[in-house]
CSV table of all heavy atoms in Angstrom, one decimal:
chain,number,residue,atom,x,y,z
A,44,ASN,N,10.9,-28.5,30.8
A,44,ASN,CA,9.6,-29.2,30.4
A,44,ASN,C,8.6,-28.2,29.8
A,44,ASN,O,7.4,-28.2,30.1
A,44,ASN,CB,9.0,-29.9,31.6
A,44,ASN,CG,9.8,-31.1,32.0
A,44,ASN,OD1,10.4,-31.8,31.2
A,44,ASN,ND2,9.9,-31.3,33.3
A,45,TYR,N,9.2,-27.2,29.1
A,45,TYR,CA,8.3,-26.2,28.5
A,45,TYR,C,7.9,-26.6,27.1
A,45,TYR,O,8.7,-27.1,26.3
A,45,TYR,CB,9.1,-24.9,28.4
A,45,TYR,CG,8.3,-23.7,27.8
A,45,TYR,CD1,7.4,-23.0,28.6
A,45,TYR,CD2,8.4,-23.4,26.4
A,45,TYR,CE1,6.6,-22.0,28.1
A,45,TYR,CE2,7.6,-22.3,25.9
A,45,TYR,CZ,6.8,-21.6,26.7
A,45,TYR,OH,6.0,-20.6,26.2
A,46,ASN,N,6.6,-26.5,26.8
A,46,ASN,CA,6.1,-26.9,25.5
A,46,ASN,C,6.0,-25.7,24.6
A,46,ASN,O,5.2,-24.7,24.9
A,46,ASN,CB,4.7,-27.6,25.6
A,46,ASN,CG,4.8,-28.9,26.4
A,46,ASN,OD1,5.7,-29.7,26.1
A,46,ASN,ND2,3.9,-29.1,27.3
A,47,TRP,N,6.8,-25.6,23.5
A,47,TRP,CA,6.7,-24.5,22.6
A,47,TRP,C,5.4,-24.5,21.9
A,47,TRP,O,4.8,-25.5,21.5
A,47,TRP,CB,7.8,-24.6,21.6
A,47,TRP,CG,9.2,-24.5,22.1
A,47,TRP,CD1,10.1,-25.5,22.3
A,47,TRP,CD2,9.8,-23.3,22.5
A,47,TRP,NE1,11.3,-24.9,22.9
A,47,TRP,CE2,11.1,-23.6,23.0
A,47,TRP,CE3,9.4,-21.9,22.6
A,47,TRP,CZ2,12.0,-22.6,23.5
A,47,TRP,CZ3,10.3,-21.0,23.1
A,47,TRP,CH2,11.6,-21.3,23.5
A,48,GLN,N,4.9,-23.3,21.6
A,48,GLN,CA,3.6,-23.1,20.9
A,48,GLN,C,3.7,-22.2,19.7
A,48,GLN,O,3.0,-21.2,19.6
A,48,GLN,CB,2.5,-22.6,21.9
A,48,GLN,CG,2.3,-23.5,23.1
A,48,GLN,CD,1.2,-22.9,24.0
A,48,GLN,OE1,0.0,-22.9,23.6
A,48,GLN,NE2,1.6,-22.5,25.2
A,49,TRP,N,4.8,-22.4,18.9
A,49,TRP,CA,5.0,-21.6,17.8
A,49,TRP,C,3.9,-21.5,16.8
A,49,TRP,O,3.7,-20.6,16.1
A,49,TRP,CB,6.3,-22.0,17.1
A,49,TRP,CG,7.5,-21.7,17.9
A,49,TRP,CD1,8.3,-22.6,18.5
A,49,TRP,CD2,8.2,-20.5,18.1
A,49,TRP,NE1,9.4,-22.0,19.1
A,49,TRP,CE2,9.3,-20.7,18.9
A,49,TRP,CE3,7.8,-19.1,17.7
A,49,TRP,CZ2,10.2,-19.6,19.3
A,49,TRP,CZ3,8.7,-18.1,18.1
A,49,TRP,CH2,9.8,-18.3,18.9
A,50,TYR,N,3.1,-22.6,16.7
A,50,TYR,CA,2.0,-22.7,15.8
A,50,TYR,C,0.9,-21.6,16.1
A,50,TYR,O,0.1,-21.3,15.2
A,50,TYR,CB,1.3,-24.1,15.8
A,50,TYR,CG,0.7,-24.4,17.1
A,50,TYR,CD1,-0.7,-24.1,17.3
A,50,TYR,CD2,1.4,-25.0,18.2
A,50,TYR,CE1,-1.3,-24.4,18.5
A,50,TYR,CE2,0.8,-25.3,19.4
A,50,TYR,CZ,-0.6,-25.0,19.5
A,50,TYR,OH,-1.2,-25.3,20.7
A,51,ARG,N,0.9,-21.0,17.3
A,51,ARG,CA,-0.1,-20.0,17.6
A,51,ARG,C,0.4,-18.6,17.2
A,51,ARG,O,-0.4,-17.6,17.2
A,51,ARG,CB,-0.4,-20.0,19.1
A,51,ARG,CG,-1.0,-21.3,19.6
A,51,ARG,CD,-1.2,-21.3,21.1
A,51,ARG,NE,-2.1,-20.3,21.5
A,51,ARG,CZ,-2.3,-19.9,22.8
A,51,ARG,NH1,-1.7,-20.6,23.7
A,51,ARG,NH2,-3.1,-18.9,23.1
A,52,VAL,N,1.7,-18.4,16.9
A,52,VAL,CA,2.2,-17.1,16.7
A,52,VAL,C,1.7,-16.5,15.4
A,52,VAL,O,1.4,-15.3,15.4
A,52,VAL,CB,3.8,-17.2,16.6
A,52,VAL,CG1,4.4,-15.8,16.2
A,52,VAL,CG2,4.3,-17.5,18.0
A,53,PRO,N,1.6,-17.2,14.3
A,53,PRO,CA,1.1,-16.6,13.0
A,53,PRO,C,-0.2,-15.9,13.1
A,53,PRO,O,-0.4,-14.9,12.4
A,53,PRO,CB,1.0,-17.8,12.0
A,53,PRO,CG,2.0,-18.8,12.5
A,53,PRO,CD,1.9,-18.6,14.0
A,54,GLN,N,-1.1,-16.3,14.0
A,54,GLN,CA,-2.4,-15.6,14.1
A,54,GLN,C,-2.3,-14.2,14.7
A,54,GLN,O,-3.2,-13.4,14.5
A,54,GLN,CB,-3.3,-16.4,15.0
A,54,GLN,CG,-2.9,-16.5,16.5
A,54,GLN,CD,-3.8,-17.3,17.3
A,54,GLN,OE1,-5.0,-17.0,17.4
A,54,GLN,NE2,-3.3,-18.4,17.9
A,55,TYR,N,-1.1,-13.9,15.3
A,55,TYR,CA,-0.9,-12.5,15.8
A,55,TYR,C,-0.1,-11.7,14.8
A,55,TYR,O,0.2,-10.5,15.0
A,55,TYR,CB,-0.2,-12.6,17.1
A,55,TYR,CG,-0.9,-13.3,18.2
A,55,TYR,CD1,-0.6,-14.6,18.6
A,55,TYR,CD2,-2.1,-12.7,18.7
A,55,TYR,CE1,-1.3,-15.3,19.5
A,55,TYR,CE2,-2.8,-13.4,19.7
A,55,TYR,CZ,-2.4,-14.7,20.1
A,55,TYR,OH,-3.2,-15.3,21.0
A,56,LEU,N,0.2,-12.3,13.6
A,56,LEU,CA,0.8,-11.6,12.5
A,56,LEU,C,-0.2,-11.2,11.4
A,56,LEU,O,-0.4,-10.1,11.1
A,56,LEU,CB,2.0,-12.4,11.9
A,56,LEU,CG,3.1,-12.7,12.8
A,56,LEU,CD1,4.1,-13.7,12.2
A,56,LEU,CD2,3.9,-11.5,13.2
A,57,PHE,N,-0.9,-12.2,11.0
A,57,PHE,CA,-2.0,-12.0,10.0
A,57,PHE,C,-3.2,-12.9,10.3
A,57,PHE,O,-3.0,-14.0,11.0
A,57,PHE,CB,-1.5,-12.4,8.6
A,57,PHE,CG,-0.3,-11.5,8.1
A,57,PHE,CD1,1.0,-11.9,8.2
A,57,PHE,CD2,-0.6,-10.2,7.5
A,57,PHE,CE1,2.0,-11.1,7.7
A,57,PHE,CE2,0.4,-9.4,7.1
A,57,PHE,CZ,1.7,-9.9,7.2
A,58,PHE,N,-4.3,-12.5,9.9
A,58,PHE,CA,-5.5,-13.4,10.0
A,58,PHE,C,-6.4,-13.2,8.8
A,58,PHE,O,-6.3,-12.2,8.1
A,58,PHE,CB,-6.3,-13.1,11.3
A,58,PHE,CG,-7.0,-11.7,11.3
A,58,PHE,CD1,-8.3,-11.6,10.8
A,58,PHE,CD2,-6.3,-10.6,11.7
A,58,PHE,CE1,-8.9,-10.3,10.9
A,58,PHE,CE2,-6.8,-9.4,11.8
A,58,PHE,CZ,-8.2,-9.2,11.3
A,59,LYS,N,-7.2,-14.3,8.5
A,59,LYS,CA,-8.0,-14.3,7.3
A,59,LYS,C,-9.5,-14.2,7.7
A,59,LYS,O,-9.9,-14.9,8.6
A,59,LYS,CB,-7.8,-15.6,6.5
A,59,LYS,CG,-8.4,-15.6,5.1
A,59,LYS,CD,-8.0,-16.8,4.3
A,59,LYS,CE,-8.5,-16.8,2.9
A,59,LYS,NZ,-8.1,-18.0,2.1
A,60,GLU,N,-10.2,-13.3,7.1
A,60,GLU,CA,-11.6,-13.1,7.4
A,60,GLU,C,-12.4,-12.8,6.1
A,60,GLU,O,-12.0,-11.9,5.3
A,60,GLU,CB,-11.8,-12.0,8.4
A,60,GLU,CG,-13.2,-11.8,8.9
A,60,GLU,CD,-13.3,-10.7,9.9
A,60,GLU,OE1,-12.5,-10.7,10.9
A,60,GLU,OE2,-14.3,-9.9,9.9
A,61,ASP,N,-13.4,-13.5,5.8
A,61,ASP,CA,-14.2,-13.4,4.6
A,61,ASP,C,-13.4,-13.4,3.3
A,61,ASP,O,-13.6,-12.7,2.4
A,61,ASP,CB,-15.0,-12.0,4.7
A,61,ASP,CG,-16.0,-12.0,5.8
A,61,ASP,OD1,-16.5,-13.0,6.2
A,61,ASP,OD2,-16.2,-10.9,6.3
A,62,GLY,N,-12.4,-14.3,3.4
A,62,GLY,CA,-11.6,-14.6,2.2
A,62,GLY,C,-10.5,-13.5,2.0
A,62,GLY,O,-9.7,-13.6,1.0
A,63,GLU,N,-10.3,-12.6,2.9
A,63,GLU,CA,-9.3,-11.5,2.8
A,63,GLU,C,-8.3,-11.6,4.0
A,63,GLU,O,-8.7,-12.0,5.1
A,63,GLU,CB,-9.9,-10.1,2.8
A,63,GLU,CG,-10.8,-9.9,1.5
A,63,GLU,CD,-11.3,-8.5,1.5
A,63,GLU,OE1,-10.7,-7.6,2.2
A,63,GLU,OE2,-12.2,-8.2,0.7
A,64,TRP,N,-7.1,-11.3,3.7
A,64,TRP,CA,-6.0,-11.3,4.8
A,64,TRP,C,-5.9,-9.9,5.4
A,64,TRP,O,-5.9,-8.9,4.7
A,64,TRP,CB,-4.7,-11.7,4.2
A,64,TRP,CG,-4.6,-13.2,3.9
A,64,TRP,CD1,-4.9,-13.8,2.7
A,64,TRP,CD2,-4.3,-14.2,4.8
A,64,TRP,NE1,-4.7,-15.2,2.8
A,64,TRP,CE2,-4.4,-15.5,4.1
A,64,TRP,CE3,-4.0,-14.3,6.2
A,64,TRP,CZ2,-4.1,-16.7,4.7
A,64,TRP,CZ3,-3.7,-15.5,6.8
A,64,TRP,CH2,-3.8,-16.7,6.0
A,65,PHE,N,-5.8,-9.9,6.7
A,65,PHE,CA,-5.6,-8.6,7.4
A,65,PHE,C,-4.4,-8.7,8.4
A,65,PHE,O,-4.1,-9.8,8.8
A,65,PHE,CB,-6.9,-8.3,8.2
A,65,PHE,CG,-8.1,-8.1,7.4
A,65,PHE,CD1,-9.0,-9.2,7.1
A,65,PHE,CD2,-8.4,-6.8,6.9
A,65,PHE,CE1,-10.1,-9.0,6.4
A,65,PHE,CE2,-9.6,-6.7,6.1
A,65,PHE,CZ,-10.4,-7.7,5.8
A,66,SER,N,-3.8,-7.6,8.6
A,66,SER,CA,-2.7,-7.6,9.6
A,66,SER,C,-3.2,-7.7,11.0
A,66,SER,O,-4.3,-7.1,11.3
A,66,SER,CB,-1.9,-6.3,9.4
A,66,SER,OG,-2.7,-5.1,9.7
A,67,ALA,N,-2.5,-8.5,11.8
A,67,ALA,CA,-2.9,-8.7,13.2
A,67,ALA,C,-2.1,-7.7,14.1
A,67,ALA,O,-1.4,-6.8,13.7
A,67,ALA,CB,-2.8,-10.1,13.6
A,68,GLU,N,-2.1,-8.0,15.4
A,68,GLU,CA,-1.6,-7.1,16.4
A,68,GLU,C,-0.1,-6.8,16.2
A,68,GLU,O,0.3,-5.6,16.3
A,68,GLU,CB,-1.8,-7.6,17.8
A,68,GLU,CG,-3.2,-7.7,18.3
A,68,GLU,CD,-3.9,-9.0,18.0
A,68,GLU,OE1,-3.5,-9.7,17.0
A,68,GLU,OE2,-4.8,-9.5,18.8
A,69,LEU,N,0.7,-7.8,16.0
A,69,LEU,CA,2.1,-7.6,15.9
A,69,LEU,C,2.5,-6.8,14.6
A,69,LEU,O,3.4,-6.0,14.7
A,69,LEU,CB,2.9,-9.0,15.9
A,69,LEU,CG,2.9,-9.8,17.2
A,69,LEU,CD1,3.6,-11.1,17.1
A,69,LEU,CD2,3.5,-8.9,18.3
A,70,ILE,N,1.9,-7.1,13.5
A,70,ILE,CA,2.2,-6.3,12.3
A,70,ILE,C,1.7,-4.9,12.5
A,70,ILE,O,2.4,-3.9,12.1
A,70,ILE,CB,1.5,-6.9,11.1
A,70,ILE,CG1,2.1,-8.3,10.8
A,70,ILE,CG2,1.7,-6.1,9.8
A,70,ILE,CD1,3.6,-8.3,10.5
A,71,ASP,N,0.5,-4.7,13.1
A,71,ASP,CA,0.1,-3.3,13.4
A,71,ASP,C,1.1,-2.6,14.3
A,71,ASP,O,1.4,-1.4,14.0
A,71,ASP,CB,-1.3,-3.3,14.0
A,71,ASP,CG,-2.4,-3.8,13.0
A,71,ASP,OD1,-2.2,-3.7,11.8
A,71,ASP,OD2,-3.5,-4.3,13.5
A,72,GLY,N,1.5,-3.3,15.3
A,72,GLY,CA,2.5,-2.6,16.2
A,72,GLY,C,3.8,-2.3,15.5
A,72,GLY,O,4.5,-1.3,15.7
A,73,LEU,N,4.2,-3.3,14.6
A,73,LEU,CA,5.5,-3.0,13.8
A,73,LEU,C,5.3,-1.8,12.9
A,73,LEU,O,6.3,-1.0,12.8
A,73,LEU,CB,5.7,-4.3,12.9
A,73,LEU,CG,6.9,-4.2,12.0
A,73,LEU,CD1,8.2,-4.0,12.8
A,73,LEU,CD2,7.0,-5.4,11.1
A,74,LEU,N,4.2,-1.6,12.3
A,74,LEU,CA,4.0,-0.4,11.5
A,74,LEU,C,4.1,0.9,12.3
A,74,LEU,O,4.6,1.9,11.8
A,74,LEU,CB,2.7,-0.5,10.7
A,74,LEU,CG,2.5,-1.6,9.7
A,74,LEU,CD1,1.1,-1.7,9.1
A,74,LEU,CD2,3.6,-1.5,8.6
A,75,ILE,N,3.5,0.8,13.5
A,75,ILE,CA,3.6,2.0,14.4
A,75,ILE,C,5.1,2.3,14.8
A,75,ILE,O,5.5,3.4,14.8
A,75,ILE,CB,2.7,1.8,15.6
A,75,ILE,CG1,1.3,1.7,15.3
A,75,ILE,CG2,3.0,2.9,16.6
A,75,ILE,CD1,0.7,3.0,14.7
A,76,THR,N,5.8,1.2,15.1
A,76,THR,CA,7.2,1.4,15.4
A,76,THR,C,8.0,2.0,14.3
A,76,THR,O,8.8,2.8,14.5
A,76,THR,CB,7.8,0.0,15.8
A,76,THR,OG1,7.2,-0.5,17.1
A,76,THR,CG2,9.3,0.1,16.1
A,77,ILE,N,7.8,1.5,13.1
A,77,ILE,CA,8.5,2.0,11.9
A,77,ILE,C,8.1,3.5,11.7
A,77,ILE,O,9.0,4.3,11.4
A,77,ILE,CB,8.1,1.1,10.7
A,77,ILE,CG1,8.7,-0.3,10.8
A,77,ILE,CG2,8.7,1.8,9.4
A,77,ILE,CD1,8.3,-1.2,9.7
A,78,LYS,N,6.8,3.8,11.9
A,78,LYS,CA,6.4,5.2,11.7
A,78,LYS,C,7.1,6.1,12.7
A,78,LYS,O,7.6,7.2,12.3
A,78,LYS,CB,4.9,5.3,11.8
A,78,LYS,CG,4.3,6.6,11.5
A,78,LYS,CD,2.8,6.6,11.6
A,78,LYS,CE,2.2,8.0,11.3
A,78,LYS,NZ,0.7,8.0,11.4
A,79,ILE,N,7.1,5.7,13.9
A,79,ILE,CA,7.7,6.5,15.0
A,79,ILE,C,9.2,6.7,14.7
A,79,ILE,O,9.8,7.8,14.8
A,79,ILE,CB,7.5,5.9,16.4
A,79,ILE,CG1,6.0,6.0,16.8
A,79,ILE,CG2,8.4,6.6,17.4
A,79,ILE,CD1,5.7,5.3,18.1
A,80,SER,N,9.8,5.6,14.4
A,80,SER,CA,11.3,5.6,14.1
A,80,SER,C,11.6,6.4,12.9
A,80,SER,O,12.6,7.2,12.9
A,80,SER,CB,11.8,4.1,13.9
A,80,SER,OG,11.5,3.3,15.0
A,81,ALA,N,10.9,6.3,11.8
A,81,ALA,CA,11.2,7.1,10.6
A,81,ALA,C,11.0,8.6,10.8
A,81,ALA,O,11.9,9.4,10.5
A,81,ALA,CB,10.3,6.6,9.5
A,82,ILE,N,9.9,9.0,11.5
A,82,ILE,CA,9.7,10.4,11.7
A,82,ILE,C,10.8,10.9,12.7
A,82,ILE,O,11.3,12.0,12.5
A,82,ILE,CB,8.3,10.7,12.2
A,82,ILE,CG1,7.3,10.3,11.2
A,82,ILE,CG2,8.1,12.1,12.6
A,82,ILE,CD1,5.8,10.4,11.6
A,83,SER,N,11.1,10.1,13.7
A,83,SER,CA,12.0,10.5,14.7
A,83,SER,C,13.4,10.7,14.1
A,83,SER,O,14.2,11.6,14.5
A,83,SER,CB,12.1,9.5,15.9
A,83,SER,OG,10.9,9.5,16.5
A,84,LEU,N,13.8,9.8,13.2
A,84,LEU,CA,15.1,9.9,12.5
A,84,LEU,C,15.2,11.2,11.7
A,84,LEU,O,16.3,11.8,11.7
A,84,LEU,CB,15.2,8.7,11.6
A,84,LEU,CG,16.6,8.6,10.8
A,84,LEU,CD1,17.7,8.5,11.8
A,84,LEU,CD2,16.6,7.3,9.9
A,85,ILE,N,14.2,11.6,11.1
A,85,ILE,CA,14.2,12.9,10.3
A,85,ILE,C,14.5,14.0,11.2
A,85,ILE,O,15.4,14.8,11.0
A,85,ILE,CB,12.9,13.1,9.5
A,85,ILE,CG1,12.7,12.0,8.5
A,85,ILE,CG2,12.9,14.5,8.9
A,85,ILE,CD1,11.4,12.1,7.8
A,86,PHE,N,13.8,14.1,12.4
A,86,PHE,CA,14.0,15.2,13.3
A,86,PHE,C,15.3,15.0,14.1
A,86,PHE,O,15.9,16.0,14.5
A,86,PHE,CB,12.8,15.3,14.3
A,86,PHE,CG,11.6,15.9,13.7
A,86,PHE,CD1,10.5,15.1,13.2
A,86,PHE,CD2,11.5,17.3,13.5
A,86,PHE,CE1,9.4,15.7,12.7
A,86,PHE,CE2,10.3,17.8,13.0
A,86,PHE,CZ,9.3,17.0,12.5
A,87,THR,N,15.7,13.8,14.2
A,87,THR,CA,17.0,13.6,14.9
A,87,THR,C,18.1,14.2,14.0
A,87,THR,O,19.0,14.9,14.6
A,87,THR,CB,17.3,12.1,15.0
A,87,THR,OG1,16.4,11.5,16.0
A,87,THR,CG2,18.7,11.8,15.5
A,88,ILE,N,18.1,14.0,12.7
A,88,ILE,CA,19.1,14.6,11.8
A,88,ILE,C,19.0,16.1,11.9
A,88,ILE,O,20.0,16.8,11.9
A,88,ILE,CB,18.9,14.0,10.4
A,88,ILE,CG1,19.2,12.5,10.4
A,88,ILE,CG2,19.8,14.8,9.4
A,88,ILE,CD1,18.9,11.9,9.1
A,89,ILE,N,17.8,16.6,11.9
A,89,ILE,CA,17.6,18.1,11.9
A,89,ILE,C,18.2,18.7,13.2
A,89,ILE,O,19.0,19.6,13.2
A,89,ILE,CB,16.1,18.5,11.7
A,89,ILE,CG1,15.6,18.1,10.3
A,89,ILE,CG2,15.9,20.0,11.9
A,89,ILE,CD1,14.1,18.2,10.1
A,90,PHE,N,17.7,18.1,14.3
A,90,PHE,CA,18.2,18.6,15.6
A,90,PHE,C,19.7,18.5,15.7
A,90,PHE,O,20.4,19.4,16.2
A,90,PHE,CB,17.6,17.8,16.8
A,90,PHE,CG,16.1,18.1,17.0
A,90,PHE,CD1,15.3,17.2,17.6
A,90,PHE,CD2,15.6,19.3,16.5
A,90,PHE,CE1,13.9,17.5,17.8
A,90,PHE,CE2,14.2,19.6,16.6
A,90,PHE,CZ,13.4,18.7,17.3
A,91,GLY,N,20.3,17.3,15.3
A,91,GLY,CA,21.7,17.1,15.4
A,91,GLY,C,22.5,18.1,14.5
A,91,GLY,O,23.5,18.6,15.0
A,92,LEU,N,22.1,18.3,13.3
A,92,LEU,CA,22.8,19.2,12.4
A,92,LEU,C,22.7,20.6,12.9
A,92,LEU,O,23.8,21.3,12.9
A,92,LEU,CB,22.2,19.1,11.0
A,92,LEU,CG,22.9,19.9,9.9
A,92,LEU,CD1,24.4,19.5,9.8
A,92,LEU,CD2,22.2,19.7,8.6
A,93,VAL,N,21.6,21.1,13.3
A,93,VAL,CA,21.4,22.5,13.8
A,93,VAL,C,22.3,22.6,15.1
A,93,VAL,O,23.0,23.7,15.2
A,93,VAL,CB,20.0,22.8,14.1
A,93,VAL,CG1,19.8,24.1,14.8
A,93,VAL,CG2,19.1,22.8,12.8
A,94,THR,N,22.2,21.7,16.0
A,94,THR,CA,23.0,21.8,17.2
A,94,THR,C,24.5,21.8,16.9
A,94,THR,O,25.3,22.6,17.5
A,94,THR,CB,22.7,20.6,18.1
A,94,THR,OG1,21.3,20.6,18.4
A,94,THR,CG2,23.4,20.8,19.4
A,95,ALA,N,25.0,20.9,15.9
A,95,ALA,CA,26.4,20.9,15.6
A,95,ALA,C,26.8,22.2,15.0
A,95,ALA,O,27.9,22.7,15.3
A,95,ALA,CB,26.6,19.8,14.6
Side-chain angles (χ1 to χ4, degrees):
N44 293 322
Y45 183 81
N46 294 319
W47 294 104
Q48 302 179 65
W49 288 108
Y50 65 91
R51 297 177 60 188
V52 173
Q54 64 181 304
Y55 299 105
L56 297 172
F57 297 98
F58 66 93
K59 191 175 184 180
E60 186 175 317
D61 296 331
E63 295 185 18
W64 287 95
F65 299 91
S66 60
E68 293 94 326
L69 290 180
I70 296 299
D71 291 339
L73 176 64
L74 295 177
I75 295 295
T76 293
I77 293 174
K78 184 178 179 181
I79 291 175
S80 301
I82 298 175
S83 298
L84 182 59
I85 294 172
F86 283 101
T87 291
I88 294 174
I89 294 173
F90 290 159
L92 183 58
V93 171
T94 304

